[in-house]
C-alpha cells in the first residue's frame, strides 16, 4: 500500500525544501519514494541537486530509491481530456482558447491536475511513499478544495449563471448569444466571445459524470493522506495556517502535525539575560547585548506562536530549526528534518 504525505501551507515557508527533505529521508531508509511538486519555480530540483525536473518521474542520481517530478499542468489537463472526453469533444476542447486559459491560469484547475496525477501514482503501486508539495494558493486549502471546485465548473454552474436558471442546449444558447446587446459585447471584445465560452462549457459538461466520480476518488485519497501544515512565525504564514484550520470542516482533513520551520532556539530567550564576558569595549558590549535581546524577543514571540497554535487546534507541533546557511545538499536536507520528530507523526 502506498503512503501519501501532503505538505501544505502558505508560500515562502519552505514547503518545497521540507518536502524534499522528508522524501529523501524515506528513500534513505529503503522506501521507493516519489516527491511531486507543481511549484514552477524549480526549487525542488535545486534542493535535490539536479538541474531540472520533468513531468514524468525520474530517478535522483544522488539518492537511491528516490524519484522526483514537477507537474506540467497543461500536459496533465490534456491527458485528463483524452481520458474522460469523447474524441470529438476532446479535439474541440484542446483547441479552445478558454480551455488553455483555465488549464494554465485557474488555480483550482492546476490543483485538480495535481490531485489527478497524485491519484495516478497512488494507483500505479510503483511507490511505497509519495510526498506531495502543494501549491501555496489559498494557504494550501485550494488544493484540497480543487476536486469540488472543478466539479462546479464542469457541472455547468457558470453556464447557468450566463443564461438563466435552466441549462440550455446548443440551439437555445446560440439564440441567446445572438441578442443585440451580446452581439455588441462580442464586437467590442473582438470576437464571438460568449459563443466560444458557451461552446467550451457545454463540451466540458459532457465530462461531468466521469470527473465527478474521479473527484470523489481524489477526495478519498486526500482524506487518507497524512497532511502536514508547514508554517513559520511570520504574520502571513501564521494567518494562512489559522485560515486553514478554520476551513477544515469544509474539506474533512485532519492534519497529523504542524511543522514550524525556521524556529529559533528556545535557549536564546534566557541567554539574553546572562552577563557577557570577554568583551572589554563597553560600546561593543552594549551593542551585542542589544542584539541578543532583540533575538531573544523574536525567539519568545515564536515560542508563544507555537504554543498558541498547538493548544488552539490540538494538533501536534514539531519544529525545524533555522538553518544557516540553507541546506545545499541531500545530506543537509536529511539532517534538517531528522531530529524534528515529524517522522513519529507520519504513518508511512
Amino acid at each position: 500500500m502506498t503512503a501519501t504525505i501532503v505538505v501544505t501551507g502558505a508560500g515562502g515557508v519552505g514547503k518545497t525544501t521540507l518536502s524534499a527533505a522528508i522524501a529523501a529521508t524515506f528513500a534513505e531508509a529503503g522506501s521507493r519514494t516519489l516527491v511531486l511538486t507543481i511549484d514552477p519555480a524549480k526549487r525542488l530540483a535545486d534542493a535535490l541537486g539536479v538541474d531540472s525536473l520533468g513531468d514524468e518521474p525520474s530517478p535522483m542520481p544522488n539518492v537511491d530509491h528516490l524519484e522526483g517530478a514537477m507537474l506540467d499542468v497543461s500536459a496533465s489537463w490534456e491527458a485528463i481530456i483524452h481520458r474522460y472526453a469523447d474524441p470529438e469533444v476532446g479535439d474541440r476542447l484542446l483547441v479552445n482558447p478558454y480551455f488553455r486559459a483555465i488549464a494554465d491560469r485557474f488555480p483550482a484547475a492546476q490543483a485538480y491536475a495535481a490531485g489527478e496525477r497524485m491519484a495516478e501514482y497512488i494507483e500505479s503501486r510503483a511507490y511505497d511513499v509519495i510526498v506531495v508539495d502543494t501549491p501555496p494558493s489559498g494557504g494550501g486549502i485550494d488544493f484540497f478544495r480543487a476536486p469540488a471546485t472543478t466539479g462546479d465548473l464542469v457541472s455547468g454552474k457558470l453556464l447557468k449563471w450566463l443564461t438563466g436558471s435552466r441549462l440550455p442546449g446548443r440551439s437555445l444558447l446560440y439564440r441567446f448569444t445572438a441578442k443585440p446587446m451580446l452581439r455588441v459585447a462580442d464586437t467590442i471584445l473582438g470576437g464571438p466571445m460568449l459563443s466560444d465560452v458557451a461552446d467550451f462549457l457545454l463540451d466540458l459538461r459532457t465530462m461531468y459524470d466521469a470527473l465527478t466520480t474521479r473527484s470523489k476518488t481524489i477526495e478519498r485519497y486526500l482524506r487518507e493522506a497524512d497532511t502536514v501544515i508547514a508554517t513559520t512565525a511570520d504574520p502571513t504564514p501564521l494567518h494562512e495556517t489559522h485560515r486553514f484550520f478554520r476551513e477544515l470542516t469544509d474539506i474533512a482533513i485532519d492534519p497529523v502535525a504542524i511543522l514550524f520551520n525556521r524556529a529559533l532556539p528556545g535557549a536564546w530567550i534566557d541567554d539574553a539575560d546572562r552577563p557577557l564576558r570577554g568583551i572589554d569595549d563597553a560600546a561593543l558590549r552594549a551593542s551585542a547585548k542589544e542584539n541578543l535581546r532583540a533575538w531573544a524577543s523574536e525567539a519568545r514571540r515564536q515560542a508563544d506562536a507555537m504554543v498558541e497554535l498547538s493548544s488552539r487546534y490540538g494538533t501536534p507541533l514539531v519544529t525545524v530549526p533555522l538553518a544557516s546557511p540553507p541546506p545545499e545538499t541531500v545530506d543537509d536536507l536529511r539532517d534538517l528534518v531528522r531530529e524534528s520528530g515529524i517522522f513519529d507523526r507520519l504513518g508511512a
Side-chain angles (χ1 to χ4, degrees):
M1 180 177 176
T2 299
T4 306
I5 300 163
V6 178
V7 182
T8 192
V13 300
K15 283 190 302 85
T16 302
T17 301
L18 292 170
S19 298
I22 291 170
T25 304
F26 275 113
E28 182 186 46
S31 296
R32 298 169 302 163
T33 306
L34 170 67
V35 56
L36 172 67
T37 183
I38 70 170
D39 184 346
K42 299 185 179 178
R43 287 194 292 268
L44 182 58
D46 294 340
L48 292 171
V50 296
D51 293 333
S52 62
L53 290 171
D55 185 55
E56 295 297 326
S58 57
M60 298 296 99
N62 47 359
V63 189
D64 291 339
H65 311 298
L66 179 61
E67 297 185 9
M70 185 178 75
L71 183 73
D72 182 326
V73 176
S74 292
S76 294
W77 263 103
E78 288 179 11
I80 290 169
I81 295 297
H82 286 304
R83 185 176 301 118
Y84 299 119
D86 291 336
E88 181 180 348
V89 172
D91 290 342
R92 283 199 304 267
L93 282 170
L94 291 175
V95 298
N96 189 297
Y98 298 104
F99 162 73
R100 186 62 58 191
I102 284 180
D104 290 344
R105 298 182 182 89
F106 187 46
Q110 296 174 2
Y112 179 87
E116 170 75 23
R117 187 57 63 88
M118 176 194 73
E120 291 176 13
Y121 292 136
I122 291 172
E123 291 161 356
S124 75
R125 301 178 182 267
Y127 303 99
D128 301 312
V129 179
I130 296 174
V131 181
V132 181
D133 167 33
T134 71
S137 174
I141 201 80
D142 286 354
F143 177 73
F144 297 91
R145 285 179 165 167
T149 304
T150 303
D152 288 345
L153 173 69
V154 175
S155 71
K157 287 187 177 181
L158 178 57
L159 192 59
K160 292 178 183 178
W161 179 82
L162 283 171
T163 60
S165 60
R166 292 182 58 196
L167 190 65
R170 287 186 189 273
S171 59
L172 176 59
L173 184 64
Y174 291 148
R175 290 199 299 273
F176 176 83
T177 56
K179 290 182 178 180
M181 174 104 34
L182 299 180
R183 286 205 305 269
V184 170
D186 277 346
T187 300
I188 293 172
L189 294 170
M193 174 184 164
L194 288 174
S195 295
D196 287 348
V197 169
D199 275 337
F200 164 65
L201 292 172
L202 283 167
D203 281 339
L204 198 63
R205 189 173 177 271
T206 65
M207 302 165 55
Y208 175 69
D209 290 342
L211 284 184
T212 297
T213 300
R214 188 57 166 170
S215 292
K216 293 183 183 302
T217 299
I218 294 171
E219 288 175 332
R220 176 168 58 83
Y221 288 146
L222 290 174
R223 288 193 300 271
E224 293 172 350
D226 283 345
T227 297
V228 176
I229 303 175
T231 190
T232 68
D234 293 336
T236 297
L238 283 176
H239 172 78
E240 293 296 330
T241 301
H242 285 296
R243 177 190 167 200
F244 191 101
F245 277 99
R246 284 197 305 270
E247 300 181 10
L248 273 179
T249 54
D250 296 340
I251 56 175
I253 298 296
D254 186 17
V256 298
I258 301 169
L259 206 166
F260 202 99
N261 196 22
R262 303 170 191 149
L264 297 178
W268 287 11
I269 298 173
D270 297 327
D271 286 348
D273 295 326
R274 295 193 176 115
L276 287 176
R277 304 185 187 281
I279 303 178
D280 297 329
D281 185 282
L284 181 58
R285 187 168 59 251
S287 177
K289 194 70 173 177
E290 182 180 354
N291 188 50
L292 284 174
R293 285 172 178 158
W295 280 109
S297 177
E298 175 60 18
R300 185 177 294 107
R301 186 182 72 84
Q302 288 194 7
D304 290 343
M306 293 180 207
V307 170
E308 199 269 342
L309 272 178
S310 185
S311 60
R312 174 179 290 195
Y313 302 115
T315 300
L317 187 143
V318 297
T319 60
V320 172
L322 177 69
S324 182
E328 298 177 349
T329 68
V330 173
D331 287 340
D332 291 342
L333 287 174
R334 289 192 290 257
D335 292 342
L336 185 67
V337 297
R338 195 187 306 273
E339 303 302 323
S340 68
I342 185 61
F343 297 99
D344 296 334
R345 305 293 174 184
L346 300 174

